[in-house]
Amino acid sequence: MDFDEEWAGLRTAAERAAKKPEPPSRPEPEPPVAPVLPAPASGSASAPETAADTLEMAREAVLERLADFRSRVLLVPLDERDGLWTGRFGGLDWIYAFSGDEQLARFAQARGEQGKEWPYRRVVGARILDEVVPALDFPCGVAWDVAGPDGMVFPPLSGFVPERAALDGEVAR
């Protein structure tokens, strides 16, 4: 199974899971009392105490990654017409962007195209999100370092792209 097939399978499974209705909640039995664990060593982060804490930590992590993406000069492969190369996945187009040669090579290898020449353009991440995506006449997100362990996608939604280009933004309302 190649990278695109695997990614498509994961996306389909996520979409199905998102569409499943939640089962009615039943009160959970009281869990057994856990032993008291020692306090974390000084200087180490403590575990989140509530679901809200976990959600806030996840939100902060995404915002940190987004800020990192926006500040980077990225490699964006070019298509046969010298435009930014996109791939279609989950009903949307995605611009592929990579942090460096190693990440782009990993992507080429995952596609079985490591011998192919990959022309690319260097583009600042903020420019992709703020200028390129809104200039397109179709919804488009950005897939960053998608063949590596730290890959991430920025969908065309409010908070990632300007409202005028967001599927849930001004135009959608």
Side-chain angles (χ1 to χ4, degrees), residues 19-34:
K19 291 179 183 176
K20 286 184 182 177
E22 289 289 321
S25 62
R26 288 182 258 156
E28 293 289 323
E30 289 287 326
V33 176

Side-chain angles (χ1 to χ4, degrees), residues 93-116:
D93 287 279
W94 299 86
I95 296 170
Y96 292 102
F98 300 93
S99 298
D101 292 327
E102 183 180 320
Q103 291 80 2
L104 178 56
R106 185 181 297 132
F107 179 73
Q109 183 177 13
R111 294 180 52 86
E113 299 180 29
Q114 58 269 25
K116 174 185 168 189

Side-chain angles (χ1 to χ4, degrees), residues 11-75:
R11 176 69 178 174
T12 301
E15 287 172 352
R16 277 192 215 121
K19 291 179 183 176
K20 286 184 182 177
E22 289 289 321
S25 62
R26 288 182 258 156
E28 293 289 323
E30 289 287 326
V33 176
V36 176
L37 300 174
S42 65
S44 68
S46 60
E49 295 187 17
T50 67
D53 292 340
T54 302
L55 182 61
E56 184 58 28
M57 288 175 61
R59 182 180 180 288
E60 288 175 14
V62 169
L63 291 175
E64 285 176 18
R65 292 289 312 272
L66 178 60
D68 183 29
F69 176 86
R70 293 179 66 79
S71 68
R72 284 179 181 256
V73 174
L74 303 160
L75 308 181

Side-chain angles (χ1 to χ4, degrees), residues 115-160:
K116 174 185 168 189
E117 183 178 328
W118 288 76
Y120 59 83
R121 181 170 291 147
R122 293 181 188 277
V123 184
V124 175
R127 184 164 187 222
I128 296 171
L129 294 174
D130 297 342
E131 296 175 28
V132 175
V133 170
L136 299 171
D137 60 356
F138 54 90
C140 190
V142 179
W144 180 30
D145 291 342
V146 293
D150 296 326
M152 188 164 190
V153 295
F154 301 113
L157 297 174
S158 298
F160 295 112

Side-chain angles (χ1 to χ4, degrees), residues 80-97:
E80 61 279 350
R81 296 175 310 204
D82 286 333
L84 301 184
W85 187 50
T86 63
R88 189 143 181 91
F89 176 73
L92 291 173
D93 287 279
W94 299 86
I95 296 170
Y96 292 102

